[in-house]
Amino acid sequence: MHEQILIAPNGTELLRTLARHGCNTLGLRIMQPAELAAFMLMRSGISLTETQIAADTEAALIWRFLPEIRYFKNASYHDAQNLANTLRTLRLQISGSERETIVSGLKLSKFSEKSAALIEVYDRYTDALKQRQLIDQAGLMRQAISRAKPLRAECLVLREYPLTPLEQALAEKAADGTPKVVSLRELLNKSAQPLPLPHITETYGAVNEVENVIASIYRSQIPLDQCTVAVTDSSYAMLFFEAAKRFGIPVTFGFGLPVTLTNPAQILRDYLRWMTVGHCGIDALRDLLNSPAFDKKQFCTDFGISHTDRFIRTAGAMRLGTDIRMNQQRIDAYRASGERDKTEMEQLNAVFVKLGMNCAKLIWKYTRIRKNDLGRLDKAAQLKLCKSLEHFSEMTGEPAEKLIPDLLNVSIGAQNSEAGALHITTVSGALTALRQNLFVMGLSAERFPGEPTENYLLLDDEMTAFGKNAPTSGNMIRQAQSELHDLLENAAAIGVRTELSYCGYDAAELKANNASSVLYALYLEAGGTDVDDFGKSIRKTGYFSQDLPGLTAVGRAYLNGETVLGKPAESSDVTDISSAVSVLSPSKIEKYVQCPKSFCYECIMGLQELESDDVFEVISPQMLGILVHEAMEFCCGTMPGKQAFLDHAEQIFDRFLTERPPMNAKDALQPRHDFLRAVENGYDAVAGMKIESAEDELSAVYDCGITVQGRPDAIAKLPDGSLRILDYKSGRTLKHTDEDLRSCIQVMLYADMLKKHGTDVTGGDYLYVYLDGKVSCAYNEDRSAKISDLLTEIDNAAKIRSFPANPSKENCRYCAYINICGEGKAK
């Protein structure tokens, strides 16, 4: 059997295209140059001792030594990637002696310092390859040229995909001479045909352009797998992806999609935020573990975590991160500062010391892989991201997290076309995936062929030193134009139906776009006359002009002056909410007194206040209150000496610092001093009293049916034998008023509950320990009656479902529901 080897990209797609259009592909192999080099070495019986590396590994290898080169000492990893790409491009232009050609070519540059730095990068990169016994694609081709034998096969080069000088030398070695150059139509035994007058559509915006193509396919009832869409701009990939999800259209992408569309990338973003702006705090860790992309259930199962929120709060407060040594120190200090839950300590150690919150391992083990096409995309992203992170760490010896911002810009999941699916690819890729119908999109002047852009590392003048066909900005523009012309020329020869389109209006920037000059050139080549007729030949679409189901009904109705009415919801029985107020705490009753509507949101509707955690805050007001109460509990029973009390309070605060280490140790000095001064004020305030109980539960049932339950901070016996309710306040503003029942409702409720249990209490005091102040309220029969009336009011409000707002600057300023209430005055 006669063997043929065709040097071209996208081998699988090209074989399908050849077979689809009647070409016998038996005995035909399609290879890219690097594949051909490996094949030649294998056929020659040569086994390389070096390991071949991927393109992204080249950048990691360069990044390892890049800061040591003075010119690039402040370079980013993105610069390392550009250097790797530039070196690869440069080396492919050289078929002879590589280093000598690079040195002599760069010496012609007027930017001598940059040229010297590039030569140093090249030398250190090639030395690193040798030391590690690695080989890249350019090195592999050179090995094949120097060591492999020619192939006993006919070697062909596809004219539409010209080779670089190094690739050409490889092809000549494989063919033992000059390889035959053929076009796609020649492979298909088709004769050249004149280009037909182009069928061009102008749309409003890129989204409208995508919808126009999809509508055109469905309107003409063309099977999806008989259509190829070629785009000039990768931004169309996102638009087609969203349209495919929205309308349930099966689509394959020949050039990949942004990795940001995948679940692994979502975890990567959350992980990056947790490590950087989140400072490994509670909120950022909660966002990471609670993300829909993260398999929290499997994570908790693997580490035996049954109380996820408690685990997140503990780890986030301690700001456990990826530094295993620091994590171990903080966990040890946390364990030594008091009695700790053994299971929780094992969980923290397993996650933050043994696992070390390794990014690649988290993505590999705990990504939620979605179903169908989305699942394939997630798997591709998972493999790409994990391998890149691992290779970066291996090659550079640095934390892989430095690579994350660059990884979030990659594309993944390049697919072969599939039966039943619309295939989206580039203009270059469309040539190898030609179906019966071709749609070319993005042919506005702004998008195609694009603006000439020089490589800042190797400018056009420097690039031309390596050959007239080197990839200068001008040559790349001409190549893009040539790719489109080749595509349309071959499509005409094969008989493919072709439609072209561009967005004549940029909906994002609200400006008009012209058709690409390339379109006018194609129009003239196909026999068109002048620019006026060219303009008339273009079909124009408007907003809401497509026929996609459910997409345009509202828009068309608007244009026609009609109104689209929604279907009225069916009425349903309203559930009785009286049970929601059957058991209340004094703090919830105080909330009702302050604002019934806020009480309704929290206690009736069950809306939870969003508790955010400020990682720069040494101690939150809520935690400060908890520590104050804990310190004051030490006064219950036998009154301790003042120094013993202060020593105990100091231990409480120091223990807290092991649970929540400050961002800067010095930041805790002032809060610690203030706390000790405040609790000393509290100690002085209760001196001479006997604290009978602290945090003991009380409850009482009232005539309206409401049960009140709570724990008073303390019940104190004064020297005259009377009892008082004490409530410790750590706020720095007085929020209660002497002898005002509604203001002092909490202590009055506790006094009333004790009275119902047969204990007489004279009143209650709010002790503001930070202000060293006191607010008092006496308890009597009149106030007891008013308490009963208040509870009856709450019960009636629940029955008639009436909870009016009580807007005021004080109530609304820090209200969690200000954005949904609509009646706030927190201005």
Side-chain angles (χ1 to χ4, degrees):
M1 180 178 67
H2 178 63
E3 183 180 26
Q4 288 182 311
I5 294 178
L6 177 63
I7 304 173
N10 307 327
T12 302
E13 287 295 347
L14 186 51
L15 279 174
R16 289 178 178 175
T17 296
L18 293 172
R20 183 183 299 119
H21 294 286
C23 177
N24 183 0
T25 59
L26 189 64
L28 176 66
R29 291 175 181 266
I30 302 178
M31 298 181 184
Q32 296 189 58
E35 293 177 279
L36 176 62
F39 182 70
M40 290 170 63
L41 290 166
M42 182 194 69
R43 280 282 181 93
S44 302
I46 299 172
S47 178
L48 294 176
T49 57
E50 299 95 341
T51 302
Q52 187 175 349
I53 61 172
D56 58 353
T57 309
E58 297 171 16
L61 200 57
I62 290 173
W63 173 251
R64 185 179 182 88
F65 60 76
L66 197 58
E68 300 170 12
I69 299 175
R70 183 173 175 273
Y71 187 85
F72 293 113
K73 66 179 181 179
N74 296 319
S76 65
Y77 186 75
H78 183 67
D79 293 319
Q81 291 176 310
N82 287 338
L83 275 166
N85 293 334
T86 299
L87 283 183
R88 192 183 314 115
T89 299
L90 189 59
R91 295 170 69 201
L92 290 175
Q93 305 305 310
I94 302 169
S95 59
S97 177
E98 191 172 89
R99 188 181 187 281
E100 288 78 358
T101 305
I102 290 176
V103 172
S104 61
L106 290 178
K107 279 186 176 179
L108 301 175
S109 170
K110 58 184 177 182
F111 301 103
S112 56
E113 186 180 1
K114 182 191 70 174
S115 296
L118 285 172
I119 293 170
E120 186 176 356
V121 170
Y122 168 80
D123 286 339
R124 297 193 63 167
Y125 170 68
T126 51
D127 285 345
L129 289 175
K130 290 176 185 176
Q131 291 171 9
R132 292 172 174 259
Q133 289 193 300
L134 303 172
I135 191 168
D136 57 17
Q137 290 189 3
L140 183 66
M141 284 188 267
R142 289 191 175 278
Q143 285 274 15
I145 292 170
S146 64
R147 300 177 62 189
K149 299 175 182 178
L151 296 173
R152 295 179 180 178
E154 181 184 10
C155 290
L156 308 173
V157 175
L158 201 57
R159 180 179 290 118
E160 291 82 359
Y161 296 101
L163 302 179
T164 66
L166 181 60
E167 293 167 345
Q168 181 65 30
L170 177 70
E172 290 173 359
K173 179 61 179 284
D176 198 17
T178 303
K180 183 180 179 180
V181 180
V182 296
S183 68
L184 179 62
R185 63 174 178 78
E186 288 171 344
L187 284 175
L188 294 170
N189 198 26
K190 302 287 185 181
S191 58
Q193 297 293 328
L195 291 179
L197 281 171
H199 181 284
I200 304 172
T201 300
E202 177 192 278
T203 66
Y204 278 82
V207 174
N208 189 251
E209 190 177 0
V210 169
E211 292 167 353
N212 175 68
V213 167
I214 296 173
S216 178
I217 293 170
Y218 278 97
R219 188 165 49 240
S220 303
Q221 297 184 340
I222 307 171
L224 291 175
D225 55 10
Q226 291 182 14
C227 302
T228 297
V229 177
V231 300
T232 62
D233 191 311
S234 60
S235 63
Y236 283 97
M238 182 84 76
L239 299 176
F240 266 106
F241 179 80
E242 293 298 330
K245 282 200 307 181
R246 191 156 138 214
F247 302 115
I249 301 171
V251 172
T252 52
F253 292 88
F255 58 103
L257 285 165
V259 74
T260 49
L261 296 173
T262 68
N263 275 354
Q266 180 61 53
I267 294 177
L268 200 63
R269 279 196 299 268
D270 292 337
Y271 185 90
L272 180 62
R273 179 181 174 277
W274 170 66
M275 283 203 57
T276 54
V277 297
H279 299 283
C280 301
I282 295 172
D283 292 348
L285 181 61
R286 182 186 290 116
D287 290 344
L288 172 62
L289 299 188
N290 287 342
S291 166
F294 191 86
D295 192 345
K296 185 173 73 172
K297 181 178 179 182
Q298 186 62 52
F299 178 82
C300 291
T301 299
D302 287 350
F303 296 103
I305 300 172
S306 55
H307 301 287
T308 314
D309 192 60
R310 188 175 72 185
F311 173 83
I312 290 171
R313 285 191 165 279
T314 302
M318 294 168 67
R319 295 199 330 281
L320 301 176
T322 58
D323 186 331
I324 293 176
R325 181 171 165 273
M326 178 65 74
N327 290 345
Q328 187 69 72
Q329 289 176 351
R330 290 184 173 179
I331 291 172
D332 289 345
Y334 178 72
R335 181 189 289 111
S337 65
E339 287 190 24
R340 304 297 181 186
D341 185 281
K342 183 179 179 182
T343 301
E344 183 181 50
M345 298 306 302
E346 290 173 352
Q347 293 165 357
L348 293 172
N349 192 68
V351 174
F352 292 98
V353 177
K354 292 181 180 178
L355 176 66
M357 285 296 278
N358 180 277
C359 185
K361 290 180 180 178
L362 281 178
I363 292 173
W364 193 253
K365 289 197 69 176
Y366 301 113
T367 296
R368 286 187 184 275
I369 303 297
R370 293 169 290 182
K371 296 180 180 179
N372 305 323
D373 293 340
L374 296 176
R376 288 196 293 270
L377 201 62
D378 285 340
K379 288 179 181 177
Q382 188 182 45
L383 181 63
K384 169 70 176 177
L385 297 179
C386 290
K387 290 295 182 185
S388 297
L389 289 166
E390 290 168 357
H391 288 164
F392 180 84
S393 289
E394 180 184 347
M395 288 293 171
T396 66
E398 296 192 31
E401 290 73 32
K402 289 188 175 183
L403 183 61
I404 293 177
D406 293 285
L407 278 181
L408 290 172
N409 292 319
V410 303
S411 293
I412 48 89
Q415 301 166 292
N416 290 321
S417 59
E418 293 181 2
L422 179 65
H423 190 58
I424 317 295
T425 186
T426 60
V427 170
S428 176
L431 186 70
T432 62
L434 275 174
R435 293 168 163 181
Q436 290 91 328
N437 299 274
L438 172 66
F439 299 85
V440 184
M441 301 174 56
L443 294 174
S444 64
E446 189 175 65
R447 293 179 184 267
F448 187 83
E451 296 181 3
T453 305
E454 291 188 87
N455 183 341
Y456 69 91
L457 290 170
L458 210 57
L459 302 176
D460 284 352
D461 288 345
E462 297 166 320
M463 190 71 79
T464 54
F466 300 94
K468 64 177 183 179
N469 294 322
T472 61
S473 59
N475 283 342
M476 293 175 72
I477 291 292
R478 284 186 284 274
Q479 181 184 348
Q481 293 171 322
S482 177
E483 286 174 352
L484 177 61
H485 194 276
D486 288 341
L487 174 63
L488 298 179
E489 188 179 65
N490 279 282
I494 298 170
V496 172
R497 174 180 170 272
T498 304
E499 291 188 19
L500 312 178
S501 66
Y502 71 98
C503 48
Y505 192 79
D506 188 328
E509 297 187 11
L510 302 180
K511 66 178 183 179
N513 281 335
N514 295 319
S516 170
S517 60
V518 175
L519 281 178
Y520 184 56
L522 291 171
Y523 173 77
L524 294 177
E525 184 179 346
T529 54
D530 56 38
V531 69
D532 291 334
D533 287 339
F534 171 68
K536 293 175 184 177
S537 70
I538 297 175
R539 171 180 171 262
K540 293 177 171 58
T541 68
Y543 288 117
F544 318 119
S545 63
Q546 274 65 62
D547 297 323
L548 299 180
L551 177 68
T552 61
V554 174
R556 287 181 178 172
Y558 172 77
L559 294 178
N560 295 331
E562 300 169 356
T563 302
V564 178
L565 296 176
K567 182 181 178 181
E570 296 181 4
S571 60
S572 59
D573 293 333
V574 179
T575 305
D576 181 23
I577 61 173
S578 296
S579 59
V581 299
S582 60
V583 179
L584 295 175
S585 66
S587 61
K588 288 183 177 180
I589 295 170
E590 183 180 50
K591 182 174 282 288
Y592 176 87
V593 170
Q594 291 170 347
C595 179
K597 195 169 186 179
S598 177
F599 168 85
C600 177
Y601 283 136
E602 179 179 336
C603 305
I604 306 298
M605 299 175 67
L607 300 180
Q608 297 297 312
E609 294 188 23
L610 295 177
E611 297 180 14
S612 61
D613 175 62
D614 182 358
V615 293
F616 293 100
E617 186 177 58
V618 175
I619 184 167
S620 68
Q622 181 183 15
M623 181 53 66
L624 187 63
I626 292 173
L627 296 190
V628 166
H629 282 75
E630 184 179 351
M632 294 306 297
E633 279 184 48
F634 196 50
C635 297
C636 186
T638 303
M639 191 72 169
K642 189 170 187 177
Q643 190 56 51
F645 171 80
L646 292 176
D647 290 344
H648 177 69
E650 194 170 1
Q651 291 172 8
I652 289 173
F653 197 85
D654 289 345
R655 185 199 65 206
F656 164 75
L657 293 181
T658 67
E659 298 170 356
R660 185 186 173 87
M663 294 289 287
N664 185 334
K666 291 183 180 180
D667 292 343
L669 295 178
Q670 188 62 46
R672 188 174 187 271
H673 174 268
D674 292 345
F675 169 77
L676 293 175
R677 180 173 55 81
V679 294
E680 184 177 6
N681 290 338
Y683 180 90
D684 292 340
V686 300
M689 304 181 188
K690 180 181 180 183
I691 307 302
E692 296 282 326
S693 66
E695 298 290 342
D696 287 352
E697 185 169 327
L698 284 177
S699 68
V701 180
Y702 285 80
D703 293 341
C704 63
I706 293 178
T707 299
V708 180
Q709 291 180 346
R711 295 174 181 270
D713 290 351
I715 300 174
K717 180 180 284 188
L718 276 59
D720 63 3
S722 62
L723 295 179
R724 299 285 289 183
I725 303 294
L726 301 183
D727 198 308
Y728 306 117
K729 294 299 179 185
S730 55
R732 308 198 184 218
T733 304
L734 286 174
K735 293 185 178 181
H736 301 85
T737 305
D738 284 322
E739 303 304 334
D740 179 46
L741 172 66
R742 295 181 78 86
S743 167
C744 302
I745 190 64
Q746 282 201 64
V747 292
M748 290 295 95
L749 279 164
Y750 286 125
D752 200 52
M753 283 190 279
L754 283 173
K755 178 66 181 297
K756 286 183 178 292
H757 288 283
T759 301
D760 288 328
V761 178
T762 60
D765 300 314
Y766 291 96
L767 301 181
Y768 281 84
V769 294
Y770 270 81
L771 300 174
D772 196 16
K774 181 172 72 171
V775 173
S776 300
C777 189
Y779 172 76
N780 53 44
E781 289 297 328
D782 179 59
R783 286 178 173 168
S784 176
K786 288 180 179 179
I787 287 171
S788 294
D789 292 342
L790 173 62
L791 294 173
T792 301
E793 177 187 327
I794 295 173
D795 184 58
N796 289 333
K799 288 176 180 176
I800 64 174
R801 304 176 187 87
S802 175
F803 295 94
N806 181 24
S808 70
K809 188 174 182 179
E810 184 64 31
N811 285 344
C812 301
R813 183 183 295 274
Y814 301 111
C815 179
Y817 312 109
I818 185 69
N819 292 325
I820 60 175
C821 173
E823 299 184 50
K825 292 186 176 179
K827 302 298 184 183

